[in-house]
Amino acid sequence: MTATPHYTQFIDGSWVDTDRTFDIIDPANGELVATAARGSVENLDQAVAAAQAAHARGEWRSKTPDERADILSAMVADMSERMDELVALHVKENGVTIRQAMAFHVGYSISHLQYFADLARTYEFERSGPQLSYPTLASGIVRREPIGVVGGIVPWNFPLLLAVWKLGPALAAGNTIVLKPDEKTPLTLLELAKSAERAGLPKGVLNIVTGAGEEVGARLAAHPDVRKIAFTGSTAVGREISKLAAENIKKVTLELGGKGPNIVLADADIASAVDGALFACFLYAGQACESGTRLLLPESLHDEFVDRLVQRAATIKVGDPSEFDTDIGPVISAEQHARILDYIEIGQKEGATLAFGGEPPTGAQFEQGNWVRPTIFTDVTPDMRIAREEIFGPVLSVLKYRTVDDAVAIANDSEYGLSAGVWSEDLEAALDVAARIESGTVWINDWHMVNALYPFGGYKQSGNGRELGPHALDEYTEEKFVHVDLSRSLDRKVYDLVLPAAQAAVDR
């Protein structure tokens, strides 16, 4: 019998075990995939101390940007060689389909890390400012310097990718980092640490502590030696992170919840918009913060659109995520499964019409694991909980609107503002609607197209700051102004605002 793999923490360049463990469970069948060390607050403190010591030694931050980029690129090369291994592991630990893991979860992780390596080579760490003539002749230099120890807290849905979004810019800028993955999905992130080891990343620069969020995550957010915290997760936990970070005025980046409105205009190509709406909501069984979970349809298209929507939804194959023809796999856990089914019941009690799905699939292969069929509600009104609260599952709420102004008002009537979409054959009309939506990302005639070249983040209670894009390193640096006096003469200075003029003459 093959022994169950066991994963340990990565602290100060060493693999650190604990007496207690987490069980990593395959969401598709409930089987044990691996065990992982259950880190403690003491382990977290050790990791922060290691990161602080590494920053103080300066061996990472003193490297040139090109030298740092070379090591990040070496990590990319190692991960690329092991892509099949990482994909298989990712499918097992969080239930994503193999096609999606290859394209997004692992594929994007590798390409985005390379983006940050490339950004390190081109980022403007220092620039000259304008020459000053008043009150004295001077020039200025603006530098962007590493913050120090960065803390990153990573969720279970895209654990490797969202870790890269934090460690990539942090390391490219010359910081050290301590990462806390979700206890359900730490495996691929620990495999990334092996790539960092092989690439020659100095010890203490990257540390990974696999502890519980309410203990280790809270300590990381509050730790006085952590100067920046980057968190992806729910809005409720994000509020707590903000409170803890405020105690010592940390920099904070938060990417939180969403309730993405997907607006179909009356002139939209129906076939494209139908498939796009299903893709927007049901990718990774709806377990993405930027999913399009509110579909807004004009009255003129509603009935035809819903008919086609249901017909196409019926073609989606739910099944074993390791099989290439599977479209949707399980949801992450029994707790999440129960939460989604509760919301489906709530929707029906509130008066919404269950147009499709709403129950687990049937068959022997679904007797174990956490399964929910794609679910579509119609007759949803903006006040219903299924239209306002983040369900984080394969549940699509269809709302009807009369005018474009009504659609925009419904879209913006939310505490969230992470993602949105507009479908139209008239690009100018779509751009006009996009300009009126309160959201960090608006896709026109598409969805889920997150690109490293463009910033990602939310309005309102969907978060603070931005990840990705050409300014991603801004969030991981401090800006310093260095003033250089060019007057070279005491009588050209303004010291006489304090000192008597006679004193200046004596000194000359």
Side-chain angles (χ1 to χ4, degrees):
M1 181 179 292
T2 304
T4 300
H6 178 67
Y7 284 77
T8 57
Q9 305 171 101
F10 188 64
I11 300 174
D12 200 19
S14 298
W15 295 95
V16 178
D17 207 353
T18 60
D19 294 333
R20 298 188 300 166
T21 61
F22 290 118
D23 288 344
I24 311 303
I25 302 299
D26 187 334
N29 53 32
E31 294 178 357
L32 183 65
V33 175
T35 57
R38 184 184 180 112
S40 63
V41 169
E42 290 74 22
N43 293 139
L44 188 281
D45 288 345
Q46 292 166 6
V48 172
Q52 187 178 37
H55 188 71
R57 289 194 303 269
E59 56 191 314
W60 181 246
R61 60 186 167 91
S62 64
K63 288 184 183 296
T64 67
D66 282 342
E67 288 171 335
R68 293 198 294 268
D70 286 343
I71 291 179
L72 293 177
S73 293
M75 292 170 61
V76 167
D78 187 81
M79 292 169 67
S80 298
E81 289 179 5
R82 298 193 295 137
M83 184 169 179
D84 289 347
E85 172 193 345
L86 293 173
V87 165
L89 188 61
H90 214 46
V91 170
K92 285 292 185 183
E93 75 171 335
N94 80 345
V96 63
T97 64
I98 190 168
R99 297 198 329 258
Q100 187 183 328
M102 293 175 69
F104 286 162
H105 290 238
V106 177
Y108 258 21
S109 299
I110 293 171
S111 64
H112 285 191
L113 185 55
Q114 184 59 56
Y115 171 77
F116 290 122
D118 295 339
L119 189 58
R121 300 181 193 277
T122 60
Y123 185 74
E124 195 172 41
F125 286 98
E126 184 174 305
R127 61 180 171 84
S128 297
Q131 184 166 299
L132 309 174
S133 59
Y134 181 84
T136 61
L137 187 65
S139 67
I141 299 169
V142 178
R143 302 189 65 195
R144 299 208 72 107
E145 299 180 343
I147 295 169
V149 180
V150 171
I153 301 177
V154 182
W156 50 261
N157 58 343
F158 291 82
L160 184 60
L161 178 62
L162 295 178
V164 164
W165 287 12
K166 294 158 183 57
L167 71 88
L171 299 184
N175 298 286
T176 60
I177 189 166
V178 178
L179 289 170
K180 207 294 288 184
D182 188 279
E183 49 268 35
K184 293 184 286 297
T185 57
L187 305 185
T188 47
L189 185 48
L190 290 167
E191 290 293 339
L192 180 146
K194 295 177 183 178
S195 294
E197 259 192 317
R198 287 190 278 265
L201 191 72
K203 72 173 188 176
V205 173
L206 171 63
N207 304 271
I208 301 173
V209 180
T210 53
E214 61 273 16
E215 300 168 3
V216 174
R219 174 58 176 166
L220 182 58
H223 201 294
D225 295 329
V226 174
R227 300 311 316 145
K228 152 85 182 200
I229 194 82
F231 169 79
T232 301
S234 71
T235 295
V237 176
R239 293 190 190 104
E240 296 304 312
I241 296 291
S242 292
K243 292 175 186 177
L244 293 168
E247 289 298 317
N248 44 55
I249 320 297
K250 284 180 177 60
K251 285 179 172 285
V252 178
T253 299
L254 302 173
E255 196 265 281
L256 306 176
K259 194 70 180 175
N262 197 2
I263 302 174
V264 178
L265 301 186
D267 71 328
D269 178 81
I270 294 181
S272 295
V274 164
D275 280 13
L278 296 171
F279 176 67
C281 185
F282 297 143
L283 180 78
Y284 188 41
Q287 298 174 116
C289 48
E290 40 74 79
S291 294
T293 53
R294 290 185 291 156
L295 178 61
L296 280 58
L297 299 178
E299 291 178 337
S300 61
L301 288 184
H302 179 274
D303 292 350
E304 179 186 357
F305 199 103
V306 168
D307 285 345
R308 292 200 189 188
L309 196 71
V310 169
Q311 291 172 20
R312 284 294 280 156
T315 69
I316 295 173
K317 180 181 177 181
V318 180
D320 184 347
S322 66
E323 295 180 356
F324 273 90
D325 63 345
T326 294
D327 301 311
I328 294 180
V331 298
I332 186 67
S333 65
E335 292 77 12
Q336 187 66 13
H337 180 260
R339 170 187 167 87
I340 295 165
L341 294 182
D342 282 347
Y343 269 105
I344 291 172
E345 184 176 346
I346 288 167
Q348 294 175 87
K349 287 181 178 178
E350 289 183 322
T353 299
L354 187 60
F356 184 81
E359 73 286 331
T362 57
Q365 76 175 102
F366 303 113
E367 292 177 0
Q368 303 296 324
N370 314 310
W371 301 94
V372 181
R373 289 180 66 206
T375 297
I376 300 172
F377 278 107
T378 57
D379 300 314
V380 179
T381 56
D383 59 308
M384 292 181 179
R385 289 181 63 189
I386 59 170
R388 304 197 69 81
E389 299 175 11
E390 188 175 40
I391 299 171
F392 230 64
V395 180
L396 177 62
S397 295
V398 181
L399 298 92
K400 192 183 297 185
Y401 71 85
R402 293 185 178 180
T403 68
V404 173
D405 287 344
D406 291 337
V408 172
I410 293 168
N412 290 338
D413 181 21
S414 173
E415 67 181 15
Y416 299 114
L418 185 59
S419 61
V422 183
W423 297 81
S424 175
E425 292 293 275
D426 184 340
L427 184 57
E428 290 301 319
L431 287 168
D432 178 69
V433 173
R436 299 164 63 191
I437 296 175
E438 298 165 349
S439 177
T441 295
V442 181
W443 291 289
I444 294 177
N445 297 328
D446 215 334
W447 204 282
H448 293 302
M449 293 300 107
V450 176
N451 192 294
L453 296 171
Y454 288 90
F456 183 79
Y459 284 27
K460 299 185 282 190
Q461 293 192 45
S462 285
N464 295 323
R466 293 294 181 268
E467 296 181 299
L468 303 181
H471 299 289
L473 270 62
D474 291 0
E475 303 275 359
Y476 292 85
T477 56
E478 292 282 11
E479 196 168 32
K480 176 186 285 184
F481 163 53
V482 179
H483 173 93
V484 181
D485 178 73
L486 299 177
S487 64
R488 297 182 178 274
S489 175
L490 190 58
D491 60 2
R492 294 194 180 102
K493 299 183 185 295
V494 293
Y495 297 169
D496 58 351
L497 293 175
V498 174
L499 298 172
Q503 182 63 47
V506 170
D507 289 344
R508 287 198 300 273

